[in-house]
PDB file of all heavy atoms in Angstrom:
ATOM      1  N   ALA A 170      50.015  -2.355  -0.659  1.00 61.00           N
ATOM      2  CA  ALA A 170      49.413  -1.139  -0.124  1.00 61.00           C
ATOM      3  C   ALA A 170      50.433  -0.350   0.697  1.00 61.00           C
ATOM      4  O   ALA A 170      50.087   0.490   1.558  1.00 61.00           O
ATOM      5  CB  ALA A 170      48.179  -1.465   0.806  1.00 61.00           C
ATOM      6  N   GLU A 171      51.717  -0.582   0.435  1.00 66.00           N
ATOM      7  CA  GLU A 171      52.779   0.053   1.171  1.00 66.00           C
ATOM      8  C   GLU A 171      52.948   1.540   0.808  1.00 66.00           C
ATOM      9  O   GLU A 171      53.491   2.276   1.595  1.00 66.00           O
ATOM     10  CB  GLU A 171      54.098  -0.682   0.998  1.00 66.00           C
ATOM     11  CG  GLU A 171      54.006  -2.120   1.511  1.00 66.00           C
ATOM     12  CD  GLU A 171      55.244  -2.933   1.099  1.00 66.00           C
ATOM     13  OE1 GLU A 171      56.114  -2.356   0.425  1.00 66.00           O
ATOM     14  OE2 GLU A 171      55.310  -4.131   1.376  1.00 66.00           O
ATOM     15  N   LEU A 172      52.505   1.919  -0.353  1.00 73.00           N
ATOM     16  CA  LEU A 172      52.614   3.336  -0.798  1.00 73.00           C
ATOM     17  C   LEU A 172      51.310   4.082  -0.555  1.00 73.00           C
ATOM     18  O   LEU A 172      50.219   3.435  -0.651  1.00 73.00           O
ATOM     19  CB  LEU A 172      52.977   3.375  -2.277  1.00 73.00           C
ATOM     20  CG  LEU A 172      54.289   2.770  -2.725  1.00 73.00           C
ATOM     21  CD1 LEU A 172      54.390   2.803  -4.244  1.00 73.00           C
ATOM     22  CD2 LEU A 172      55.436   3.515  -2.045  1.00 73.00           C
ATOM     23  N   SER A 173      51.367   5.260  -0.162  1.00 76.00           N
ATOM     24  CA  SER A 173      50.200   6.045   0.105  1.00 76.00           C
ATOM     25  C   SER A 173      49.396   6.316  -1.132  1.00 76.00           C
ATOM     26  O   SER A 173      49.977   6.276  -2.282  1.00 76.00           O
ATOM     27  CB  SER A 173      50.515   7.443   0.728  1.00 76.00           C
ATOM     28  OG  SER A 173      51.016   8.301  -0.248  1.00 76.00           O
ATOM     29  N   PRO A 174      48.096   6.573  -1.080  1.00 79.00           N
ATOM     30  CA  PRO A 174      47.274   6.754  -2.263  1.00 79.00           C
ATOM     31  C   PRO A 174      47.805   7.979  -3.153  1.00 79.00           C
ATOM     32  O   PRO A 174      47.764   7.938  -4.343  1.00 79.00           O
ATOM     33  CB  PRO A 174      45.896   7.052  -1.734  1.00 79.00           C
ATOM     34  CG  PRO A 174      45.875   6.324  -0.452  1.00 79.00           C
ATOM     35  CD  PRO A 174      47.232   6.477   0.117  1.00 79.00           C
ATOM     36  N   THR A 175      48.251   9.001  -2.477  1.00 82.00           N
ATOM     37  CA  THR A 175      48.777  10.193  -3.150  1.00 82.00           C
ATOM     38  C   THR A 175      50.013   9.863  -3.976  1.00 82.00           C
ATOM     39  O   THR A 175      50.203  10.252  -5.097  1.00 82.00           O
ATOM     40  CB  THR A 175      49.054  11.345  -2.200  1.00 82.00           C
ATOM     41  OG1 THR A 175      47.927  11.645  -1.441  1.00 82.00           O
ATOM     42  CG2 THR A 175      49.403  12.587  -2.962  1.00 82.00           C
ATOM     43  N   VAL A 176      50.967   9.140  -3.287  1.00 84.00           N
ATOM     44  CA  VAL A 176      52.213   8.674  -4.002  1.00 84.00           C
ATOM     45  C   VAL A 176      51.820   7.832  -5.181  1.00 84.00           C
ATOM     46  O   VAL A 176      52.359   7.977  -6.285  1.00 84.00           O
ATOM     47  CB  VAL A 176      53.098   7.956  -2.999  1.00 84.00           C
ATOM     48  CG1 VAL A 176      54.275   7.315  -3.798  1.00 84.00           C
ATOM     49  CG2 VAL A 176      53.659   8.907  -1.950  1.00 84.00           C
ATOM     50  N   THR A 177      50.940   6.847  -4.986  1.00 83.00           N
ATOM     51  CA  THR A 177      50.504   6.016  -6.067  1.00 83.00           C
ATOM     52  C   THR A 177      49.925   6.790  -7.252  1.00 83.00           C
ATOM     53  O   THR A 177      50.168   6.549  -8.380  1.00 83.00           O
ATOM     54  CB  THR A 177      49.479   4.962  -5.544  1.00 83.00           C
ATOM     55  OG1 THR A 177      50.040   4.195  -4.476  1.00 83.00           O
ATOM     56  CG2 THR A 177      49.013   4.028  -6.677  1.00 83.00           C
ATOM     57  N   SER A 178      49.036   7.753  -6.912  1.00 86.00           N
ATOM     58  CA  SER A 178      48.380   8.546  -7.912  1.00 86.00           C
ATOM     59  C   SER A 178      49.441   9.368  -8.698  1.00 86.00           C
ATOM     60  O   SER A 178      49.308   9.516  -9.943  1.00 86.00           O
ATOM     61  CB  SER A 178      47.355   9.541  -7.271  1.00 86.00           C
ATOM     62  OG  SER A 178      46.315   8.783  -6.725  1.00 86.00           O
ATOM     63  N   ALA A 179      50.426   9.902  -8.030  1.00 89.00           N
ATOM     64  CA  ALA A 179      51.452  10.694  -8.680  1.00 89.00           C
ATOM     65  C   ALA A 179      52.250   9.849  -9.705  1.00 89.00           C
ATOM     66  O   ALA A 179      52.449  10.259 -10.846  1.00 89.00           O
ATOM     67  CB  ALA A 179      52.397  11.297  -7.592  1.00 89.00           C
ATOM     68  N   TYR A 180      52.661   8.604  -9.294  1.00 88.00           N
ATOM     69  CA  TYR A 180      53.461   7.782 -10.165  1.00 88.00           C
ATOM     70  C   TYR A 180      52.592   7.202 -11.265  1.00 88.00           C
ATOM     71  O   TYR A 180      53.050   7.061 -12.436  1.00 88.00           O
ATOM     72  CB  TYR A 180      54.108   6.727  -9.338  1.00 88.00           C
ATOM     73  CG  TYR A 180      55.159   7.212  -8.457  1.00 88.00           C
ATOM     74  CD1 TYR A 180      55.387   6.684  -7.161  1.00 88.00           C
ATOM     75  CD2 TYR A 180      56.092   8.191  -8.859  1.00 88.00           C
ATOM     76  CE1 TYR A 180      56.451   7.209  -6.288  1.00 88.00           C
ATOM     77  CE2 TYR A 180      57.063   8.684  -8.048  1.00 88.00           C
ATOM     78  CZ  TYR A 180      57.245   8.224  -6.752  1.00 88.00           C
ATOM     79  OH  TYR A 180      58.195   8.664  -5.915  1.00 88.00           O
ATOM     80  N   LEU A 181      51.327   6.900 -10.966  1.00 89.00           N
ATOM     81  CA  LEU A 181      50.447   6.431 -12.021  1.00 89.00           C
ATOM     82  C   LEU A 181      50.251   7.521 -13.100  1.00 89.00           C
ATOM     83  O   LEU A 181      50.225   7.216 -14.284  1.00 89.00           O
ATOM     84  CB  LEU A 181      49.093   6.031 -11.493  1.00 89.00           C
ATOM     85  CG  LEU A 181      49.054   4.688 -10.696  1.00 89.00           C
ATOM     86  CD1 LEU A 181      47.586   4.370 -10.300  1.00 89.00           C
ATOM     87  CD2 LEU A 181      49.599   3.540 -11.464  1.00 89.00           C
ATOM     88  N   SER A 182      50.115   8.738 -12.631  1.00 91.00           N
ATOM     89  CA  SER A 182      49.969   9.868 -13.595  1.00 91.00           C
ATOM     90  C   SER A 182      51.243  10.028 -14.471  1.00 91.00           C
ATOM     91  O   SER A 182      51.133  10.331 -15.669  1.00 91.00           O
ATOM     92  CB  SER A 182      49.678  11.189 -12.838  1.00 91.00           C
ATOM     93  OG  SER A 182      48.444  11.097 -12.117  1.00 91.00           O
ATOM     94  N   MET A 183      52.403   9.819 -13.818  1.00 92.00           N
ATOM     95  CA  MET A 183      53.656   9.895 -14.607  1.00 92.00           C
ATOM     96  C   MET A 183      53.701   8.828 -15.680  1.00 92.00           C
ATOM     97  O   MET A 183      54.011   9.126 -16.855  1.00 92.00           O
ATOM     98  CB  MET A 183      54.834   9.735 -13.643  1.00 92.00           C
ATOM     99  CG  MET A 183      55.115  10.878 -12.753  1.00 92.00           C
ATOM    100  SD  MET A 183      56.457  10.595 -11.554  1.00 92.00           S
ATOM    101  CE  MET A 183      57.774  10.037 -12.659  1.00 92.00           C
ATOM    102  N   PHE A 184      53.361   7.586 -15.307  1.00 91.00           N
ATOM    103  CA  PHE A 184      53.380   6.511 -16.291  1.00 91.00           C
ATOM    104  C   PHE A 184      52.348   6.736 -17.389  1.00 91.00           C
ATOM    105  O   PHE A 184      52.584   6.441 -18.577  1.00 91.00           O
ATOM    106  CB  PHE A 184      53.104   5.181 -15.599  1.00 91.00           C
ATOM    107  CG  PHE A 184      54.287   4.594 -14.900  1.00 91.00           C
ATOM    108  CD1 PHE A 184      54.293   4.377 -13.537  1.00 91.00           C
ATOM    109  CD2 PHE A 184      55.462   4.205 -15.606  1.00 91.00           C
ATOM    110  CE1 PHE A 184      55.399   3.852 -12.872  1.00 91.00           C
ATOM    111  CE2 PHE A 184      56.563   3.736 -14.987  1.00 91.00           C
ATOM    112  CZ  PHE A 184      56.562   3.502 -13.578  1.00 91.00           C
ATOM    113  N   ALA A 185      51.156   7.234 -17.036  1.00 92.00           N
ATOM    114  CA  ALA A 185      50.103   7.477 -18.007  1.00 92.00           C
ATOM    115  C   ALA A 185      50.540   8.617 -18.975  1.00 92.00           C
ATOM    116  O   ALA A 185      50.271   8.496 -20.178  1.00 92.00           O
ATOM    117  CB  ALA A 185      48.811   7.891 -17.312  1.00 92.00           C
ATOM    118  N   THR A 186      51.232   9.592 -18.457  1.00 94.00           N
ATOM    119  CA  THR A 186      51.731  10.720 -19.309  1.00 94.00           C
ATOM    120  C   THR A 186      52.671  10.131 -20.350  1.00 94.00           C
ATOM    121  O   THR A 186      52.589  10.464 -21.524  1.00 94.00           O
ATOM    122  CB  THR A 186      52.469  11.745 -18.480  1.00 94.00           C
ATOM    123  OG1 THR A 186      51.559  12.284 -17.489  1.00 94.00           O
ATOM    124  CG2 THR A 186      52.974  12.897 -19.381  1.00 94.00           C
ATOM    125  N   GLY A 187      53.608   9.329 -19.942  1.00 92.00           N
ATOM    126  CA  GLY A 187      54.530   8.727 -20.835  1.00 92.00           C
ATOM    127  C   GLY A 187      53.848   7.841 -21.881  1.00 92.00           C
ATOM    128  O   GLY A 187      54.229   7.888 -23.074  1.00 92.00           O
ATOM    129  N   ALA A 188      52.878   7.049 -21.393  1.00 92.00           N
ATOM    130  CA  ALA A 188      52.187   6.212 -22.330  1.00 92.00           C
ATOM    131  C   ALA A 188      51.458   6.981 -23.402  1.00 92.00           C
ATOM    132  O   ALA A 188      51.508   6.655 -24.619  1.00 92.00           O
ATOM    133  CB  ALA A 188      51.171   5.285 -21.570  1.00 92.00           C
ATOM    134  N   PHE A 189      50.764   8.034 -23.056  1.00 94.00           N
ATOM    135  CA  PHE A 189      50.045   8.791 -24.057  1.00 94.00           C
ATOM    136  C   PHE A 189      50.966   9.647 -24.958  1.00 94.00           C
ATOM    137  O   PHE A 189      50.620   9.926 -26.103  1.00 94.00           O
ATOM    138  CB  PHE A 189      48.987   9.740 -23.401  1.00 94.00           C
ATOM    139  CG  PHE A 189      47.808   8.930 -22.889  1.00 94.00           C
ATOM    140  CD1 PHE A 189      47.512   8.880 -21.557  1.00 94.00           C
ATOM    141  CD2 PHE A 189      47.009   8.254 -23.837  1.00 94.00           C
ATOM    142  CE1 PHE A 189      46.398   8.152 -21.151  1.00 94.00           C
ATOM    143  CE2 PHE A 189      45.895   7.553 -23.381  1.00 94.00           C
ATOM    144  CZ  PHE A 189      45.615   7.478 -22.009  1.00 94.00           C
ATOM    145  N   ALA A 190      52.096  10.034 -24.404  1.00 94.00           N
ATOM    146  CA  ALA A 190      53.051  10.809 -25.245  1.00 94.00           C
ATOM    147  C   ALA A 190      53.613   9.842 -26.311  1.00 94.00           C
ATOM    148  O   ALA A 190      53.681  10.224 -27.533  1.00 94.00           O
ATOM    149  CB  ALA A 190      54.245  11.293 -24.360  1.00 94.00           C
ATOM    150  N   LEU A 191      53.964   8.587 -25.956  1.00 93.00           N
ATOM    151  CA  LEU A 191      54.450   7.646 -26.956  1.00 93.00           C
ATOM    152  C   LEU A 191      53.392   7.232 -27.906  1.00 93.00           C
ATOM    153  O   LEU A 191      53.619   7.147 -29.110  1.00 93.00           O
ATOM    154  CB  LEU A 191      54.963   6.413 -26.228  1.00 93.00           C
ATOM    155  CG  LEU A 191      56.212   6.555 -25.366  1.00 93.00           C
ATOM    156  CD1 LEU A 191      56.565   5.328 -24.567  1.00 93.00           C
ATOM    157  CD2 LEU A 191      57.420   6.984 -26.264  1.00 93.00           C
TER     158      LEU A 191
END
Side-chain angles (χ1 to χ4, degrees):
E171 297 169 2
L172 298 175
S173 75
T175 307
V176 171
T177 301
S178 297
Y180 291 139
L181 287 184
S182 297
M183 288 174 54
F184 281 117
T186 300
F189 285 116
L191 292 175

